[in-house]
Amino acid sequence: MDPLAASFERFRRHGDLQALGHVFDALAPRLLSVALHLCGNTADAEDVLQQTFLLAMERDVGFDPARRLEPFLAGLLHNVARNARRSTARRRTEPLPELACADAGPIATAEREELLTLLRTNVDALPVEQRQVLRLQLQHGLSPAEIAMALEVPPGTVRMRIHRGIEALRKLLPAGLAVSVFAAFAERGLAAVKQQVMSAGRAHAAAVAAGSASAAVFGGVLLMKKLAITLMLAIAIAFVAWISWDGEPAAAHPGVQANADPRMIVAAVPHTAAPSAGNEATGERSAPAASTGALRVRVTVRTNSGSNDEVVPVAGTWLAVWAGGSPLVPYDADVLRAATDAAGEAVFTSLTPGPWHAQLVAETDAEPQRVAVTAGEETLLPFERTVKRVVRGVVVSADGAPVSGAEVWVHRGTAMGRYSTPERAELESRRAAVTGDDGRFAVPLLRREDRIAACREGHGESFAANASQEQDVRLVLGRTFATLGGVVRDSKGAPVANALVRFTPAGRDTRRAADGTLLSPRVDRLTRTDADGRFRFDGIAPGRVRAWATAWPLNPAWKELDVAPFGMAEVALQLKDGVSVVGTVRYADGTPARVGVHSTPSLDNDGHYCHCETREDGSYELYYQPRRRFFVVVGRQKRVASREFADPECGIVRCDFVLEGNAPAPVAAPVRTAKVRGRLVDVDGAPIAAKEVALRLQERGEEGERIAATASDGTFSFGDLEPDAFTLVADRGSAAMRELAQFEALEGRHYDLGDLVLAPTASLRVHVVRADGSPWRGPMPYVRLTDAKGSRLDRTNEPVPGGLRLQVWPGQFTVHTEGTDLIAAPQQVELTPGVETEVRVPVAIGRSRQLVWNGDGAHKPQRNEVLHVTVREAGGAVVVQRDVKDLLPDLRGFRYWYLSHVFAFGRYEVEAHSDSGLRYRGVLDVRDDVDDPTRVDVPRMAR
């Protein structure tokens, strides 16, 4: 007989509580992990675990002591979880009516009214967070997990708030009554579940000791338990009658769940305490269990704006936390991830004591911070970054009225897939703020964040603003809106809960509004699917949109569809089974190997699913590849080792390599450095003394530049140069910066640049005006100069009132004014040394279009094959006449002719032909509509 089954049978026959405790301690952690998988949240899993043990203690469950106990309890737990889900689906969510007791006399009625009056009087003194959770649980019947989803805080925080609110109200009631009312809302946890199970076991033991029939006595205990629950429910419903008189509805935003992770990697060794992550915006401190600890991570930024420095919390940014001493994020062990709340905090609870590491997910190249977690305590770990500015602005409706409660999303200009490793999808954008009553917001910018936009139910989402340039951002919501809903399913058609869904809105091109304001592409939004695999995005702009979903280890799926104004569109996304490969590459002596690793469907071709470089410890990860036969190959140019996987399972596949021989000893080849010298003179040949010159690597710009000052005779020198390409500049960091020379330093060579003439500069001031002569109100366009040969002179544009100033060499130049949707004629200027020349540039607003000739997919032009293009106005005047050689690649690798041009509003006829006889003809309508697509496919004519 199974020893645990024997212990459980000894409890049932003889009331041995020690045996019951032994069974619980041995099986509860593993059963709780199963319950977590079935229920999706800690609170429901603990309830299911408790009901499973209570049901197993009854006599009529059909347990055979000869069987093993754990499979029996696991099967019972599945049934309890299934019934709990059905019960939740049927649960009513409207407020319950006040319970009327037919036999309640005037004294009981008066006592109840007195109790309700007492509660009404004192509950408003509770913090708003505690009032919210109590009302959502009692009035609306939500579980702690559902409350957590509505308020976007972790379930542990919800239970903590419920506990603290009840503790505050408990003091208002008589002791005996308070225990009865609030016992059902006690703080949970594995220890609390065990305590309740043991309490039921004591009742069972007492029945055994009294000599009564065990089943009958235990049934009586259950009956009394039901009566007690009924009594507590009656008093709780009276509480509902009190709270239903008014209330503060908890606003639920359809944003990203704070503690959800689409890539739940299960550790090979189960944890004794299942960690959880969450957020808490109010600064409340959770009470960690005696055997575990908690970690509160706070992310803030400090603006470096001189005397007005301020510290601002960073909301919506993702954190990764993992245990152990290694600073490398584990591939095949538990990694906890959570997004910061409005206060810039994320709380990780139930952590095993010891060393932990934390890292901002967006800063994969930064060293993670190490922190020690102490049992029974909460540790605060601050992340503070310095930023140049905090973006401030306002969200308004199409009529110009401020909009409160609007979500402000920031786009991160990621290099998705850089270094051949896909970035986490959560980094695409973050919900950084919610507007206040006056519609205003403040958002600190992190690295690579370049666009900011807003959305609100009942409005169309706004175009984005350039977050890194504009000072006071004004985001205008659209007048027309729509809704996108859908479901995510796996390869077998089952709904996928907690899948990450990214919504890419219409309007992916930069546009110019009628007043000159630059409208950047709208920002993607993120959400997660519910228990039924469903998701929803409200307040979207009509047009061509895309929905993209992933739920590791399944492979991503996406679809594009057209959404009509004020319509509701539905999309179904089916994820295919995916495989991730993790492992290490080491030499025979155990030294980690720094090599390239990739997965490929065959060793006979160059195609691959994923590739990466091993890390310092030799570890690697290949993921998002289909579940089919593949090879894992070590080595980029030359195959060093490989392994075949014929029928891989969905999920993680382990693949370690041991290379033949020992690690090669590092050989430091001697590098002979180069040296460069020169002399700085004016136009008359006189030396220029005490002038700073900067030497820069051509690939790195200002980063790592070296500075030298000229001597009295104008000479300067730079030594110890590694072989590379360099640029020498003067007047760095100003609008008058000038490039003096470019050269490539070879190993061991000495270079003499000779006399470098630094001529006096000329100044050009460009006044930008509207075509009708009125002042230009939008962001300044970019101005470039070309010389008589057509060579481009790149110079810094210095903003001045009403235009731009450029510092250049004297001479004759052509002024080109460029910008999205802007039309301006080139102008000729002659610049004199030491004189500021002014030029007035009228600009008109049109629409940028990209004309594409793809031959309906039937013809793929060869390189240098020419297409002769002519574009005429409706009246016949030629607007564009050009020979096109540029080829545009598509996702399939085909290349087609394309031409980019800014057209004035109107209708145009497009004609084109190639030397091989291909002919194209089409009509182009350019309207003053910012949602019109940029790309236009010109149809091919039949021969």
Side-chain angles (χ1 to χ4, degrees), residues 65 108 128 145 149 180 204 207 242 244 305 329 343 357 389 428 445 448 460 618 677 754 765 813 824 847:
V128 63
M149 183 179 297
S180 299
H204 173 84
W242 158 67
S244 62
S305 55
V329 181
H357 282 87
R389 62 190 295 260
E428 181 72 15
L445 290 185
R448 300 193 185 98
R677 67 182 302 274
R765 182 164 182 153
F813 301 96
R847 285 289 174 259

Side-chain angles (χ1 to χ4, degrees), residues 46 109 112 164 169 211 250 274 299 323 347 391 411 422 508 582 607 846 892:
E46 291 169 353
T109 302
R112 185 178 59 189
R164 292 185 176 180
L169 294 178
V299 183
V347 180
V391 179
H411 174 265
R508 304 173 199 170
V582 299
R892 297 171 297 174

Side-chain angles (χ1 to χ4, degrees), residues 750-771:
H750 289 193
Y751 298 88
D752 190 344
L753 301 179
D755 289 346
L756 302 174
V757 179
L758 191 64
T761 61
S763 178
L764 173 64
R765 182 164 182 153
V766 180
H767 290 280
V768 180
V769 297
R770 301 293 297 265

Side-chain angles (χ1 to χ4, degrees), residues 1 86 96 108 158 162 255 263 265-266 294 340 417 471 476 483 503 550 659 666-667 714 726 737 804 838:
M1 179 186 297
R86 291 176 179 174
L96 298 174
V158 171
I162 292 174
R263 302 180 63 240
I265 301 181
V266 181
T340 55
Q471 298 300 319
V476 182
T483 302
F503 163 71
T550 185
L659 307 182
V667 178
F726 293 89
M737 185 193 77
L804 302 166
E838 295 188 5

Side-chain angles (χ1 to χ4, degrees), residues 123 126-140 142 147 150-153 158 161-162 165 243 247-252 282:
V123 74
L126 295 177
V128 63
E129 296 85 2
Q130 296 173 9
R131 293 202 304 271
Q132 282 181 338
V133 295
L134 287 176
R135 283 173 174 154
L136 286 175
Q137 184 178 56
L138 296 176
Q139 183 176 3
H140 298 284
L142 300 184
I147 296 173
L151 298 181
E152 296 189 13
V153 296
V158 171
R161 291 176 178 175
I162 292 174
I243 63 175
E248 301 164 358
T282 63

Side-chain angles (χ1 to χ4, degrees), residues 72-95:
F72 164 73
L73 289 177
L76 195 60
L77 184 142
H78 275 76
N79 294 333
V80 173
R82 181 191 59 207
N83 295 336
R85 287 196 300 269
R86 291 176 179 174
S87 176
T88 300
R90 294 191 299 263
R91 184 179 58 214
R92 50 190 296 174
T93 59
E94 66 274 11

